[in-house]
Amino acid sequence: MQRILSTQLPAHVGATVRIAGWAHRRRLLKSVAFLIVRDAAGLSQVVVTDPAARAQVEALTEETVVEVTATVVANATAPAGVELTDPVVRPLGPPAVPPPFDLYRPALTASLPTQLDHAPTALRHPLRSAALRVSAASVAGFRAALDSRDFVEIHTPKVVSSSTESGANVFELDWFGRPAYLAQSPQFYKQLMVGVFEKVYEVGPAFRAEPHDTVRHLAQYTSLDVELGFIADHRDVMRVLRDVLAGMLDGVAERAAGAVAALGIELPAVPEEFPAVHFTEALKVAGAPADEPDLAPAHERALGEWARREHGSDFLFVTGYPMAKRPFYTHPDPVRPGHSNGFDLLFRGVELVTGGQRLHRHADYLAALSARGEPVEPYAGYLDAFRHGMPPHGGFAIGLERFVARLTGAANVREVTAFPRDLHRLTP
Amino acid sequence: MQRILSTQLPAHVGATVRIAGWAHRRRLLKSVAFLIVRDAAGLSQVVVTDPAARAQVEALTEETVVEVTATVVANATAPAGVELTDPVVRPLGPPAVPPPFDLYRPALTASLPTQLDHAPTALRHPLRSAALRVSAASVAGFRAALDSRDFVEIHTPKVVSSSTESGANVFELDWFGRPAYLAQSPQFYKQLMVGVFEKVYEVGPAFRAEPHDTVRHLAQYTSLDVELGFIADHRDVMRVLRDVLAGMLDGVAERAAGAVAALGIELPAVPEEFPAVHFTEALKVAGAPADEPDLAPAHERALGEWARREHGSDFLFVTGYPMAKRPFYTHPDPVRPGHSNGFDLLFRGVELVTGGQRLHRHADYLAALSARGEPVEPYAGYLDAFRHGMPPHGGFAIGLERFVARLTGAANVREVTAFPRDLHRLTP
C-alpha cells in the first residue's frame, strides 16, 4: 500500500491507508489515546482504543519514526476534519530519545542557543521549518524573476587569492601550501561574467570573519547576487531589484503559503515603483545633521516610517550615498561630485539590499584605488579584465537570511538559518 | 531608443534600431567594411561604407564595447538574413586591449592553461559560454524536477569542525583561532534535514584538497545533492535519480537549445527505467576477476558498451558495491552480506553519480565506525541526531562539472568551469 501524506487524508475517507512520520505527541486519556503523527506535510490524528495498540503507543517516545495503517474517518473536530481509527502502528526504527524541548508546543520554549545546539531536532518544530520553507521559496522566486529576464546563473570560486572587499574580516586558509581566503562575495566574478552573459546571478555562500556577535551577522550567509550590463546608470539596476523582490514575494506567496499562515506574517505589498530619496534629502527627512556620511539605524527607522506615511510603501530606496562610504568599485555620480551611483534599499526601516553602478573603465579603477591609497596588486587579476572591454554595469546583493528574518519578524538571523556559523558556533 | 538584441533584428527590417555589444570582428574589404557586433544573444553584421564611419571602425580594437544605431536591411546572405546599414557607431568605453587569442575563430586555438589564465575573456568565446549555458540549464532542470516532487532546497555550512568524508584531502582554515575545515560535501547536513523536510536538495560548492592534477578533478566543484526519507531501499533513490537526470536533460533541451546546437552535441535519450546490474554481475560483464573490490575505468567503459548494446541505454546502474569500498554511512544489503545498498550510475561508460541508502539507526553508526576502527568523536554532533528518530533514507550527489563535461564531450572539466580551482590554480 502506497504511503500517503497527512494532507491527503481528507480525500480518502472510508479507506484504509498507510501514513508514516514522527510520533509528534501522545495524549493518553482514560478511554482513548491519541497519537499525533507529523510528516513533511503536517499532522495526522490517530485514535487508539484497542488495549494492545494503546500499550504500544504508551511505550512510544516522541520523535520515534512510525508507520501507521488505519482507516480514515471524518470527524469535524479533528485536525483537517479527519482522523485515523483502528490503527496498526509499526515503528520504523528504535525508540527515539526525546529532544530537550517539546516539539508539539506552539513555539519552542528553549533558549535560542539551546535550539541551535540541537538544530537537527529544533528545526523539526513547525515554526522553525516554516521559516526555512519561506527561505527556499524566496530563492525560487529570486531565480524565477531573473530566469524570465534572461539572466544566466553562474557558480564562482569561494576560495580566492586575495580578499575582495577589504583586508579585514576575511578567513585565511592553506591552499596546497599557499595562503588563500574565503570569498567575502562574488563581487568581482559577477562583474567579469557580465562580459560574457551581460546579465548574471548567483546564489551561494559568502564568508565574513565578523568579530562581533550581533543578531544581524553570520560568518557564513547565503548571498543572492545580481549583475547586469549595458545600463544607463544605477536606476536600471534599481528597476531590476524591484522586480526581483516582487518575484521573491510572489515565490513565497505561491510556494510557501502554508508556512506564511503558520508564521502569521503579512507579506508586504510591492509598489510598481519603489519610492526613492537622495541621501542628502534622506538626512533631512531623518532629522540628521547635513554632514553625516552615513545613515544610522535610527535614521533608517525614521525613513521607514516616512516612506510608509508619505508613500504607503514598506520599501524605500536611498540613492547617492557619499563615495567615501562605498567600496572602491562604485561608480560616482557624474553630476554630484562626492556622491555615488550607489543605493541602499530599506525594508520597513532597515537596510535590506546594497547595490549600485560599478566602474567599468580600467583607468577609473586605477584612479579609484590610488585616491584611496590602496595598492593595485591584490586586484590585478580582476582589474585586468577591464582592459578588454566592459560595458557600463551594476548590480546588487541580497542577504537571504536577513531578508527572511525581516519578512518573518525574526529578531535574530540565526532563527531562520538551518546551521548558523558565527564567532562562537562551528557545530552542529 | 530602446536597445534591442541581435536575435530581435529580423523583426525590425526597415526600421532604425539601436544595438550594443562587443566589437567581435572587423573585415576591412576594399569597398566595404563589416563590423560584427557580439551581444548576449548572438552576432549582428554592420555594413560600413561611409568613409568617416569606416575610419572609425578601422580604429576600433576587438572587444571594445560599442553601441550602433543603424537601419535593418534584409540580406539573405547575412547571418540570420539581416544586416545593419548606415550605422552610427559609438564606443561605450575606451578602446579595448585585444585578448591574446581570437574570439571570432570557430574554436579557441590557445592552450587550455592560456584560456584559463585569461578566463574573463576566454569565456566570451561562443563555445566556452555555451558550455556554461548548458551548465546553468542543467541546474535549472535539476531544481525543477525536485521542486515538482516537493523536495525543499536547503543551504548548509561550508565550514565544519571535522572532515566529513575522510581525514585526507581536506582544506584546513583558521576559524576565529580554532581549526576548521571546508566541507567536502553536505552529506551529513542533508541527512539531518531529511528529519525536517523528508526530501531535500542543495546546490552548492564542495571542496576537496585533491593532490592530483587530473582532467576529472577540481578542488572546488558544484555538488548537486539530493536526500530523501521513508524509502524502502536504494531502489527508491534510483528512481528519483532517473527522474532528476531526465529533468536535467529536459532543462538543457528547453533552456539551452542554442548552446546545444552551437556545441553540436546530441542529448541522450532517457529510458523510463535505467538498466541496472549487480556489482558481481558487472564484474563478469566487464571480464574482471570475481574478487575485484571496485570497477576500474576500463571496466566501466566495457559496461557502458554493454549497456548500449544490450539495453540501448547511455545510462547503467551498478548496484551492490562491496561495503569495503563505500563510506561508513552506507546501508548494507540485508540479504547479501559484504555488499551494500549503494550504487553508481554510469553514463556512456563513465561514473557520473554515486548514491545509496544510508544507515538510519544510531547503533548502526556506532557499529560501522567501530568495525572500521574509526573514532566516534569527530562525528558525534552529527550522529547524535540519529538518536532522535530518523527514517530509512538515501540520496545521491551529482558533480555538475563532470555532468556537463560528459554531456558536451569536453575532455577536461576545466573547459566547462568558469574559474576552476585546483592544485595549481587559485586565480583568476
Side-chain angles (χ1 to χ4, degrees), chain B residues 393-420:
Chain B
H393 64 284
F396 56 85
I398 305 171
L400 175 61
E401 295 81 359
R402 279 197 195 182
F403 174 79
V404 175
R406 277 160 205 178
L407 197 60
T408 61
N412 191 318
V413 287
R414 289 161 187 77
E415 293 173 44
V416 301
T417 308
F419 303 99

mmCIF file of all heavy atoms in Angstrom, chain B residues 393-420:
data_model
loop_
_atom_site.group_PDB
_atom_site.id
_atom_site.type_symbol
_atom_site.label_atom_id
_atom_site.label_comp_id
_atom_site.label_asym_id
_atom_site.label_seq_id
_atom_site.Cartn_x
_atom_site.Cartn_y
_atom_site.Cartn_z
ATOM 1 N N HIS B 393 16.485 6.255 4.800
ATOM 2 C CA HIS B 393 16.674 7.317 3.812
ATOM 3 C C HIS B 393 17.902 7.042 2.950
ATOM 4 O O HIS B 393 18.721 6.181 3.272
ATOM 5 C CB HIS B 393 16.808 8.679 4.499
ATOM 6 C CG HIS B 393 18.010 8.796 5.382
ATOM 7 N ND1 HIS B 393 18.080 8.217 6.632
ATOM 8 C CD2 HIS B 393 19.215 9.393 5.196
ATOM 9 C CE1 HIS B 393 19.267 8.475 7.174
ATOM 10 N NE2 HIS B 393 19.976 9.172 6.330
ATOM 11 N N GLY B 394 17.991 7.787 1.890
ATOM 12 C CA GLY B 394 19.130 7.656 0.989
ATOM 13 C C GLY B 394 19.186 8.848 0.059
ATOM 14 O O GLY B 394 18.309 9.723 0.096
ATOM 15 N N GLY B 395 20.201 8.867 -0.769
ATOM 16 C CA GLY B 395 20.344 10.008 -1.672
ATOM 17 C C GLY B 395 21.515 9.828 -2.602
ATOM 18 O O GLY B 395 22.087 8.735 -2.715
ATOM 19 N N PHE B 396 21.860 10.915 -3.261
ATOM 20 C CA PHE B 396 22.954 10.865 -4.232
ATOM 21 C C PHE B 396 23.508 12.267 -4.440
ATOM 22 O O PHE B 396 22.912 13.258 -3.994
ATOM 23 C CB PHE B 396 22.474 10.279 -5.562
ATOM 24 C CG PHE B 396 21.297 10.994 -6.171
ATOM 25 C CD1 PHE B 396 21.474 12.118 -6.974
ATOM 26 C CD2 PHE B 396 19.996 10.560 -5.936
ATOM 27 C CE1 PHE B 396 20.375 12.781 -7.528
ATOM 28 C CE2 PHE B 396 18.896 11.207 -6.491
ATOM 29 C CZ PHE B 396 19.097 12.326 -7.279
ATOM 30 N N ALA B 397 24.646 12.312 -5.108
ATOM 31 C CA ALA B 397 25.266 13.597 -5.438
ATOM 32 C C ALA B 397 25.780 13.543 -6.868
ATOM 33 O O ALA B 397 26.406 12.555 -7.271
ATOM 34 C CB ALA B 397 26.416 13.892 -4.486
ATOM 35 N N ILE B 398 25.488 14.600 -7.607
ATOM 36 C CA ILE B 398 25.958 14.712 -8.986
ATOM 37 C C ILE B 398 26.973 15.854 -9.033
ATOM 38 O O ILE B 398 26.686 16.961 -8.574
ATOM 39 C CB ILE B 398 24.787 15.034 -9.944
ATOM 40 C CG1 ILE B 398 23.665 13.998 -9.806
ATOM 41 C CG2 ILE B 398 25.279 15.132 -11.389
ATOM 42 C CD1 ILE B 398 22.388 14.376 -10.556
ATOM 43 N N GLY B 399 28.134 15.592 -9.562
ATOM 44 C CA GLY B 399 29.117 16.660 -9.769
ATOM 45 C C GLY B 399 28.747 17.415 -11.032
ATOM 46 O O GLY B 399 28.760 16.844 -12.128
ATOM 47 N N LEU B 400 28.382 18.698 -10.874
ATOM 48 C CA LEU B 400 27.866 19.460 -12.021
ATOM 49 C C LEU B 400 28.879 19.515 -13.165
ATOM 50 O O LEU B 400 28.526 19.292 -14.325
ATOM 51 C CB LEU B 400 27.489 20.881 -11.580
ATOM 52 C CG LEU B 400 27.039 21.815 -12.702
ATOM 53 C CD1 LEU B 400 25.787 21.295 -13.398
ATOM 54 C CD2 LEU B 400 26.786 23.229 -12.147
ATOM 55 N N GLU B 401 30.121 19.824 -12.855
ATOM 56 C CA GLU B 401 31.122 19.996 -13.907
ATOM 57 C C GLU B 401 31.357 18.683 -14.662
ATOM 58 O O GLU B 401 31.544 18.682 -15.879
ATOM 59 C CB GLU B 401 32.425 20.528 -13.315
ATOM 60 C CG GLU B 401 32.303 21.945 -12.717
ATOM 61 C CD GLU B 401 31.720 21.963 -11.312
ATOM 62 O OE1 GLU B 401 31.387 20.871 -10.773
ATOM 63 O OE2 GLU B 401 31.583 23.060 -10.737
ATOM 64 N N ARG B 402 31.363 17.566 -13.925
ATOM 65 C CA ARG B 402 31.537 16.282 -14.603
ATOM 66 C C ARG B 402 30.360 15.983 -15.512
ATOM 67 O O ARG B 402 30.521 15.473 -16.616
ATOM 68 C CB ARG B 402 31.651 15.153 -13.580
ATOM 69 C CG ARG B 402 33.014 15.053 -13.011
ATOM 70 C CD ARG B 402 33.159 13.679 -12.356
ATOM 71 N NE ARG B 402 34.331 13.680 -11.508
ATOM 72 C CZ ARG B 402 34.758 12.630 -10.829
ATOM 73 N NH1 ARG B 402 34.074 11.496 -10.906
ATOM 74 N NH2 ARG B 402 35.825 12.704 -10.092
ATOM 75 N N PHE B 403 29.169 16.273 -15.004
ATOM 76 C CA PHE B 403 27.971 16.032 -15.812
ATOM 77 C C PHE B 403 28.051 16.829 -17.117
ATOM 78 O O PHE B 403 27.823 16.288 -18.202
ATOM 79 C CB PHE B 403 26.723 16.431 -15.013
ATOM 80 C CG PHE B 403 25.441 16.354 -15.801
ATOM 81 C CD1 PHE B 403 24.821 15.129 -16.019
ATOM 82 C CD2 PHE B 403 24.868 17.496 -16.341
ATOM 83 C CE1 PHE B 403 23.643 15.046 -16.761
ATOM 84 C CE2 PHE B 403 23.695 17.427 -17.080
ATOM 85 C CZ PHE B 403 23.079 16.201 -17.291
ATOM 86 N N VAL B 404 28.391 18.100 -17.003
ATOM 87 C CA VAL B 404 28.417 18.954 -18.201
ATOM 88 C C VAL B 404 29.563 18.541 -19.120
ATOM 89 O O VAL B 404 29.408 18.515 -20.348
ATOM 90 C CB VAL B 404 28.532 20.441 -17.805
ATOM 91 C CG1 VAL B 404 28.671 21.317 -19.044
ATOM 92 C CG2 VAL B 404 27.308 20.858 -16.993
ATOM 93 N N ALA B 405 30.709 18.185 -18.537
ATOM 94 C CA ALA B 405 31.834 17.757 -19.376
ATOM 95 C C ALA B 405 31.444 16.525 -20.187
ATOM 96 O O ALA B 405 31.731 16.431 -21.380
ATOM 97 C CB ALA B 405 33.062 17.471 -18.510
ATOM 98 N N ARG B 406 30.770 15.570 -19.524
ATOM 99 C CA ARG B 406 30.414 14.352 -20.252
ATOM 100 C C ARG B 406 29.345 14.597 -21.293
ATOM 101 O O ARG B 406 29.350 14.005 -22.352
ATOM 102 C CB ARG B 406 29.994 13.270 -19.263
ATOM 103 C CG ARG B 406 31.256 12.620 -18.747
ATOM 104 C CD ARG B 406 31.120 11.891 -17.476
ATOM 105 N NE ARG B 406 32.435 11.860 -16.838
ATOM 106 C CZ ARG B 406 32.674 11.322 -15.675
ATOM 107 N NH1 ARG B 406 31.704 10.763 -14.996
ATOM 108 N NH2 ARG B 406 33.887 11.358 -15.172
ATOM 109 N N LEU B 407 28.443 15.500 -20.944
ATOM 110 C CA LEU B 407 27.359 15.809 -21.883
ATOM 111 C C LEU B 407 27.897 16.534 -23.113
ATOM 112 O O LEU B 407 27.442 16.302 -24.235
ATOM 113 C CB LEU B 407 26.327 16.684 -21.161
ATOM 114 C CG LEU B 407 24.955 16.800 -21.790
ATOM 115 C CD1 LEU B 407 24.297 15.434 -21.885
ATOM 116 C CD2 LEU B 407 24.095 17.757 -20.957
ATOM 117 N N THR B 408 28.859 17.431 -22.898
ATOM 118 C CA THR B 408 29.358 18.241 -24.015
ATOM 119 C C THR B 408 30.576 17.608 -24.674
ATOM 120 O O THR B 408 31.085 18.144 -25.658
ATOM 121 C CB THR B 408 29.750 19.657 -23.532
ATOM 122 O OG1 THR B 408 30.799 19.531 -22.551
ATOM 123 C CG2 THR B 408 28.566 20.381 -22.918
ATOM 124 N N GLY B 409 31.053 16.503 -24.112
ATOM 125 C CA GLY B 409 32.226 15.863 -24.689
ATOM 126 C C GLY B 409 33.528 16.571 -24.388
ATOM 127 O O GLY B 409 34.543 16.327 -25.051
ATOM 128 N N ALA B 410 33.532 17.457 -23.392
ATOM 129 C CA ALA B 410 34.775 18.147 -23.023
ATOM 130 C C ALA B 410 35.748 17.145 -22.415
ATOM 131 O O ALA B 410 35.365 16.312 -21.597
ATOM 132 C CB ALA B 410 34.478 19.272 -22.033
ATOM 133 N N ALA B 411 37.008 17.242 -22.809
ATOM 134 C CA ALA B 411 37.999 16.290 -22.317
ATOM 135 C C ALA B 411 38.406 16.611 -20.882
ATOM 136 O O ALA B 411 38.875 15.742 -20.154
ATOM 137 C CB ALA B 411 39.226 16.323 -23.228
ATOM 138 N N ASN B 412 38.221 17.863 -20.470
ATOM 139 C CA ASN B 412 38.703 18.323 -19.166
ATOM 140 C C ASN B 412 37.585 19.118 -18.497
ATOM 141 O O ASN B 412 36.983 19.999 -19.117
ATOM 142 C CB ASN B 412 39.938 19.211 -19.396
ATOM 143 C CG ASN B 412 40.687 19.518 -18.110
ATOM 144 O OD1 ASN B 412 40.085 19.790 -17.077
ATOM 145 N ND2 ASN B 412 42.009 19.486 -18.186
ATOM 146 N N VAL B 413 37.317 18.813 -17.227
ATOM 147 C CA VAL B 413 36.243 19.539 -16.525
ATOM 148 C C VAL B 413 36.526 21.043 -16.486
ATOM 149 O O VAL B 413 35.588 21.845 -16.350
ATOM 150 C CB VAL B 413 36.040 19.035 -15.076
ATOM 151 C CG1 VAL B 413 35.371 17.672 -15.057
ATOM 152 C CG2 VAL B 413 37.327 19.042 -14.283
ATOM 153 N N ARG B 414 37.789 21.434 -16.611
ATOM 154 C CA ARG B 414 38.116 22.864 -16.577
ATOM 155 C C ARG B 414 37.533 23.627 -17.774
ATOM 156 O O ARG B 414 37.370 24.839 -17.719
ATOM 157 C CB ARG B 414 39.633 23.051 -16.533
ATOM 158 C CG ARG B 414 40.238 22.635 -15.200
ATOM 159 C CD ARG B 414 41.729 22.387 -15.304
ATOM 160 N NE ARG B 414 42.265 21.839 -14.069
ATOM 161 C CZ ARG B 414 42.125 20.569 -13.690
ATOM 162 N NH1 ARG B 414 41.450 19.726 -14.436
ATOM 163 N NH2 ARG B 414 42.643 20.167 -12.548
ATOM 164 N N GLU B 415 37.248 22.891 -18.847
ATOM 165 C CA GLU B 415 36.671 23.559 -20.028
ATOM 166 C C GLU B 415 35.236 24.006 -19.788
ATOM 167 O O GLU B 415 34.705 24.825 -20.536
ATOM 168 C CB GLU B 415 36.683 22.594 -21.227
ATOM 169 C CG GLU B 415 38.069 22.246 -21.724
ATOM 170 C CD GLU B 415 37.997 21.161 -22.790
ATOM 171 O OE1 GLU B 415 37.125 21.243 -23.672
ATOM 172 O OE2 GLU B 415 38.805 20.210 -22.722
ATOM 173 N N VAL B 416 34.586 23.435 -18.778
ATOM 174 C CA VAL B 416 33.179 23.764 -18.547
ATOM 175 C C VAL B 416 33.003 24.420 -17.174
ATOM 176 O O VAL B 416 31.903 24.448 -16.625
ATOM 177 C CB VAL B 416 32.283 22.509 -18.671
ATOM 178 C CG1 VAL B 416 32.424 21.889 -20.053
ATOM 179 C CG2 VAL B 416 32.618 21.490 -17.590
ATOM 180 N N THR B 417 34.086 24.956 -16.631
ATOM 181 C CA THR B 417 34.073 25.623 -15.331
ATOM 182 C C THR B 417 34.549 27.055 -15.542
ATOM 183 O O THR B 417 35.566 27.265 -16.199
ATOM 184 C CB THR B 417 35.029 24.891 -14.360
ATOM 185 O OG1 THR B 417 34.710 23.504 -14.358
ATOM 186 C CG2 THR B 417 34.915 25.460 -12.946
ATOM 187 N N ALA B 418 33.809 28.017 -14.997
ATOM 188 C CA ALA B 418 34.149 29.415 -15.279
ATOM 189 C C ALA B 418 35.547 29.755 -14.760
ATOM 190 O O ALA B 418 36.402 30.251 -15.502
ATOM 191 C CB ALA B 418 33.102 30.349 -14.680
ATOM 192 N N PHE B 419 35.772 29.518 -13.475
ATOM 193 C CA PHE B 419 37.050 29.883 -12.870
ATOM 194 C C PHE B 419 37.522 28.708 -12.018
ATOM 195 O O PHE B 419 37.340 28.710 -10.802
ATOM 196 C CB PHE B 419 36.894 31.152 -12.025
ATOM 197 C CG PHE B 419 36.368 32.328 -12.782
ATOM 198 C CD1 PHE B 419 35.021 32.677 -12.730
ATOM 199 C CD2 PHE B 419 37.219 33.095 -13.576
ATOM 200 C CE1 PHE B 419 34.522 33.754 -13.445
ATOM 201 C CE2 PHE B 419 36.735 34.183 -14.287
ATOM 202 C CZ PHE B 419 35.375 34.516 -14.224
ATOM 203 N N PRO B 420 38.110 27.674 -12.665
ATOM 204 C CA PRO B 420 38.442 26.461 -11.914
ATOM 205 C C PRO B 420 39.503 26.685 -10.847
ATOM 206 O O PRO B 420 40.347 27.569 -10.957
ATOM 207 C CB PRO B 420 38.949 25.507 -13.000
ATOM 208 C CG PRO B 420 39.317 26.357 -14.160
ATOM 209 C CD PRO B 420 38.442 27.566 -14.091
#
